[in-house]
PDB file of all heavy atoms in Angstrom:
ATOM      1  N   ASP A  13     -36.120  -8.207 -54.244  1.00  0.00           N
ATOM      2  CA  ASP A  13     -36.359  -6.841 -54.758  1.00  0.00           C
ATOM      3  C   ASP A  13     -36.164  -6.728 -56.301  1.00  0.00           C
ATOM      4  O   ASP A  13     -35.248  -6.053 -56.782  1.00  0.00           O
ATOM      5  CB  ASP A  13     -35.487  -5.842 -53.992  1.00  0.00           C
ATOM      6  CG  ASP A  13     -35.847  -5.753 -52.546  1.00  0.00           C
ATOM      7  OD1 ASP A  13     -35.309  -6.610 -51.767  1.00  0.00           O
ATOM      8  OD2 ASP A  13     -36.675  -4.947 -52.229  1.00  0.00           O
ATOM      9  N   HIS A  15     -38.696  -5.684 -58.361  1.00  0.00           N
ATOM     10  CA  HIS A  15     -39.350  -4.418 -58.738  1.00  0.00           C
ATOM     11  C   HIS A  15     -39.811  -4.452 -60.200  1.00  0.00           C
ATOM     12  O   HIS A  15     -39.668  -3.441 -60.932  1.00  0.00           O
ATOM     13  CB  HIS A  15     -38.498  -3.219 -58.494  1.00  0.00           C
ATOM     14  CG  HIS A  15     -38.414  -2.927 -56.953  1.00  0.00           C
ATOM     15  ND1 HIS A  15     -39.209  -2.064 -56.324  1.00  0.00           N
ATOM     16  CD2 HIS A  15     -37.575  -3.442 -56.019  1.00  0.00           C
ATOM     17  CE1 HIS A  15     -38.935  -2.025 -55.081  1.00  0.00           C
ATOM     18  NE2 HIS A  15     -37.948  -2.853 -54.823  1.00  0.00           N
ATOM     19  N   GLY A  53     -39.469 -10.816 -51.852  1.00  0.00           N
ATOM     20  CA  GLY A  53     -40.359  -9.678 -51.830  1.00  0.00           C
ATOM     21  C   GLY A  53     -39.946  -8.499 -52.690  1.00  0.00           C
ATOM     22  O   GLY A  53     -38.859  -8.441 -53.215  1.00  0.00           O
ATOM     23  N   ASP A  54     -40.874  -7.551 -52.810  1.00  0.00           N
ATOM     24  CA  ASP A  54     -40.815  -6.473 -53.812  1.00  0.00           C
ATOM     25  C   ASP A  54     -40.559  -7.127 -55.161  1.00  0.00           C
ATOM     26  O   ASP A  54     -39.720  -6.707 -55.966  1.00  0.00           O
ATOM     27  CB  ASP A  54     -39.745  -5.433 -53.531  1.00  0.00           C
ATOM     28  CG  ASP A  54     -40.153  -4.495 -52.360  1.00  0.00           C
ATOM     29  OD1 ASP A  54     -41.329  -4.590 -51.944  1.00  0.00           O
ATOM     30  OD2 ASP A  54     -39.369  -3.637 -51.972  1.00  0.00           O
ATOM     31  N   ASN A  84     -43.213  -4.829 -49.510  1.00  0.00           N
ATOM     32  CA  ASN A  84     -44.105  -3.699 -49.354  1.00  0.00           C
ATOM     33  C   ASN A  84     -44.606  -3.163 -50.704  1.00  0.00           C
ATOM     34  O   ASN A  84     -45.636  -2.470 -50.722  1.00  0.00           O
ATOM     35  CB  ASN A  84     -43.413  -2.592 -48.542  1.00  0.00           C
ATOM     36  CG  ASN A  84     -42.106  -2.225 -49.039  1.00  0.00           C
ATOM     37  OD1 ASN A  84     -41.171  -3.029 -48.937  1.00  0.00           O
ATOM     38  ND2 ASN A  84     -41.916  -1.057 -49.565  1.00  0.00           N
ATOM     39  N   HIS A  85     -43.932  -3.426 -51.813  1.00  0.00           N
ATOM     40  CA  HIS A  85     -44.410  -3.021 -53.104  1.00  0.00           C
ATOM     41  C   HIS A  85     -45.380  -3.970 -53.704  1.00  0.00           C
ATOM     42  O   HIS A  85     -46.004  -3.663 -54.719  1.00  0.00           O
ATOM     43  CB  HIS A  85     -43.191  -2.829 -54.061  1.00  0.00           C
ATOM     44  CG  HIS A  85     -42.452  -1.569 -53.897  1.00  0.00           C
ATOM     45  ND1 HIS A  85     -42.496  -0.512 -54.764  1.00  0.00           N
ATOM     46  CD2 HIS A  85     -41.564  -1.223 -52.915  1.00  0.00           C
ATOM     47  CE1 HIS A  85     -41.715   0.432 -54.346  1.00  0.00           C
ATOM     48  NE2 HIS A  85     -41.151   0.078 -53.249  1.00  0.00           N
ATOM     49  N   HIS A 156     -38.949 -10.147 -45.689  1.00  0.00           N
ATOM     50  CA  HIS A 156     -38.684  -9.087 -46.649  1.00  0.00           C
ATOM     51  C   HIS A 156     -37.922  -7.975 -45.909  1.00  0.00           C
ATOM     52  O   HIS A 156     -36.801  -7.579 -46.252  1.00  0.00           O
ATOM     53  CB  HIS A 156     -39.881  -8.550 -47.297  1.00  0.00           C
ATOM     54  CG  HIS A 156     -39.616  -7.367 -48.176  1.00  0.00           C
ATOM     55  ND1 HIS A 156     -38.881  -7.521 -49.372  1.00  0.00           N
ATOM     56  CD2 HIS A 156     -39.898  -6.029 -48.065  1.00  0.00           C
ATOM     57  CE1 HIS A 156     -38.745  -6.320 -49.894  1.00  0.00           C
ATOM     58  NE2 HIS A 156     -39.328  -5.438 -49.167  1.00  0.00           N
ATOM     59  N   HIS A 194     -35.305  -5.849 -48.986  1.00  0.00           N
ATOM     60  CA  HIS A 194     -35.859  -4.565 -48.772  1.00  0.00           C
ATOM     61  C   HIS A 194     -34.823  -3.396 -48.785  1.00  0.00           C
ATOM     62  O   HIS A 194     -35.184  -2.259 -49.257  1.00  0.00           O
ATOM     63  CB  HIS A 194     -36.651  -4.495 -47.400  1.00  0.00           C
ATOM     64  CG  HIS A 194     -37.272  -3.174 -47.171  1.00  0.00           C
ATOM     65  ND1 HIS A 194     -38.300  -2.657 -47.915  1.00  0.00           N
ATOM     66  CD2 HIS A 194     -36.990  -2.209 -46.244  1.00  0.00           C
ATOM     67  CE1 HIS A 194     -38.637  -1.467 -47.432  1.00  0.00           C
ATOM     68  NE2 HIS A 194     -37.884  -1.162 -46.438  1.00  0.00           N
ATOM     69  N   VAL A 195     -33.658  -3.566 -48.292  1.00  0.00           N
ATOM     70  CA  VAL A 195     -32.764  -2.445 -48.168  1.00  0.00           C
ATOM     71  C   VAL A 195     -31.818  -2.251 -49.359  1.00  0.00           C
ATOM     72  O   VAL A 195     -31.046  -1.307 -49.429  1.00  0.00           O
ATOM     73  CB  VAL A 195     -31.916  -2.476 -46.812  1.00  0.00           C
ATOM     74  CG1 VAL A 195     -32.861  -2.330 -45.637  1.00  0.00           C
ATOM     75  CG2 VAL A 195     -31.159  -3.794 -46.741  1.00  0.00           C
ATOM     76  N   HIS A 196     -31.889  -3.149 -50.312  1.00  0.00           N
ATOM     77  CA  HIS A 196     -31.185  -3.055 -51.571  1.00  0.00           C
ATOM     78  C   HIS A 196     -29.645  -2.812 -51.335  1.00  0.00           C
ATOM     79  O   HIS A 196     -29.013  -2.041 -52.037  1.00  0.00           O
ATOM     80  CB  HIS A 196     -31.698  -1.854 -52.432  1.00  0.00           C
ATOM     81  CG  HIS A 196     -33.111  -2.090 -52.933  1.00  0.00           C
ATOM     82  ND1 HIS A 196     -33.470  -1.838 -54.259  1.00  0.00           N
ATOM     83  CD2 HIS A 196     -34.208  -2.523 -52.327  1.00  0.00           C
ATOM     84  CE1 HIS A 196     -34.753  -2.069 -54.427  1.00  0.00           C
ATOM     85  NE2 HIS A 196     -35.237  -2.465 -53.238  1.00  0.00           N
ATOM     86  N   TYR A 216     -31.908  -2.706 -58.476  1.00  0.00           N
ATOM     87  CA  TYR A 216     -30.946  -1.597 -58.327  1.00  0.00           C
ATOM     88  C   TYR A 216     -30.557  -1.532 -56.859  1.00  0.00           C
ATOM     89  O   TYR A 216     -31.265  -2.031 -55.980  1.00  0.00           O
ATOM     90  CB  TYR A 216     -31.571  -0.245 -58.765  1.00  0.00           C
ATOM     91  CG  TYR A 216     -32.885   0.032 -58.131  1.00  0.00           C
ATOM     92  CD1 TYR A 216     -32.981   0.635 -56.840  1.00  0.00           C
ATOM     93  CD2 TYR A 216     -34.086  -0.338 -58.706  1.00  0.00           C
ATOM     94  CE1 TYR A 216     -34.180   0.877 -56.217  1.00  0.00           C
ATOM     95  CE2 TYR A 216     -35.313  -0.090 -58.141  1.00  0.00           C
ATOM     96  CZ  TYR A 216     -35.355   0.516 -56.899  1.00  0.00           C
ATOM     97  OH  TYR A 216     -36.529   0.711 -56.265  1.00  0.00           O
TER      98      TYR A 216
HETATM   99 FE1  FE2 B 301     -37.301  -3.080 -52.693  1.00  0.00          FE
END
Side-chain angles (χ1 to χ4, degrees):
D13 296 86
H15 288 267
D54 284 357
N84 49 294
H85 281 254
H156 177 67
H194 182 66
V195 293
H196 294 227
Y216 52 84

